[in-house]
């Protein structure tokens, strides 16, 4: 028996209102490549493409992760990014990579990537890799060369060198621009700064403590 127009209309509306499957990475490209025009004032989930007639072989290669990063920093670590801003050929391809160098005792501080899941492999050294779920469960493991880890999108995580030599990690993301929110810098080094009374309440400490921490990130 044929369905009535009212039932068909209801079924259509129900289908349209149902959640559609979400993409787990950047949208798929609709062309072979799209070398980013980083000078364009327009950027909507990616950059406009450089004209194909101006593309050369060099556009498809990047040596920015070849050199060791400078770990002479407050955290004792260095992150060299291979995202679309550094390597325009990644534009619209939904992937990028970082090189992370960490001195003995150094830390890639707690941070999150709002637009990507991260996976990484330890190339050298011994590292404590940890992450925290949205249920406040802490997961961690000591890793050595050849071992791999994964950090689901948006979760706070870190890597700490617990060995006696420099550590090296290469990480990969399912976004051409994953973003990074460094927790301590985000809260205590923002411009303009987060109001002190917000931070004293959030961390349940005196203003002098907040002022001291802010002075480290100013």
């Amino acid at each position: 028996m044929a369905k009535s127009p009212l039932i068909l209309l209801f079924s259509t509306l129900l289908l349209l209102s149902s959640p559609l499957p979400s993409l787990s990475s950047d949208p798929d490209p609709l062309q072979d490549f799209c070398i980013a025009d980083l000078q364009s004032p327009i950027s909507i989930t990616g950059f406009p493409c450089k004209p194909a007639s101006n593309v050369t072989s060099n556009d498809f290669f990047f040596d920015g992760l070849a050199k060791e990063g400078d770990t002479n920093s407050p955290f004792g670590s260095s992150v060299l990014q291979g995202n679309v801003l550094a390597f325009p050929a990644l534009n619209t391809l939904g992937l990028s990579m970082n090189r992370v160098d960490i001195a003995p005792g150094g830390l890639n501080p707690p941070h999150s990537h709002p637009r990507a899941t991260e996976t990484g492999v330890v190339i050298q050294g011994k590292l404590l890799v940890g992450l925290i779920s949205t249920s406040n469960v802490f997961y961690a493991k000591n890793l050595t060369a050849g071992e791999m880890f994964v950090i689901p999108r948006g979760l706070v995580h870190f890597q700490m060198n617990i060995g006696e030599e420099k550590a090296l990690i290469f990480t990969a993301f399912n976004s051409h621009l994953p973003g990074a929110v460094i927790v301590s810098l985000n809260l205590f080094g923002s411009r303009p700064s987060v109001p002190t009374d917000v931070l004293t309440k959030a961390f349940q400490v005196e203003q002098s403590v907040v002022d001291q921490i802010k002075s480290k990130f100013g």
Side-chain angles (χ1 to χ4, degrees), residues 95-194:
L95 55 88
S96 58
M97 294 185 70
N98 285 351
R99 172 183 177 139
V100 185
D101 291 278
I102 310 177
L107 173 73
N108 187 16
H111 62 283
S112 65
H113 303 289
R115 295 186 289 273
T117 289
E118 171 183 351
T119 184
V121 61
V122 179
I123 305 300
Q124 175 186 333
K126 184 177 182 181
L127 291 151
L128 170 64
V129 178
L131 66 146
I132 306 166
S133 75
T134 56
S135 300
N136 272 345
V137 179
F138 175 55
Y139 302 93
K141 189 173 183 178
N142 295 342
L143 300 181
T144 56
E147 295 186 293
M148 186 177 176
F149 62 87
V150 66
I151 310 294
R153 184 174 73 175
L155 296 189
V156 173
H157 59 285
F158 66 86
Q159 299 99 24
M160 184 173 188
N161 187 344
I162 57 174
E164 297 181 355
E165 63 175 341
K166 282 190 174 182
L168 171 63
I169 319 167
F170 280 101
T171 57
F173 307 88
N174 61 339
S175 170
H176 69 204
L177 193 60
V181 177
I182 301 174
V183 177
S184 54
L185 197 60
N186 208 235
L187 289 173
F188 295 98
S190 66
R191 291 290 181 271
S193 63
V194 177

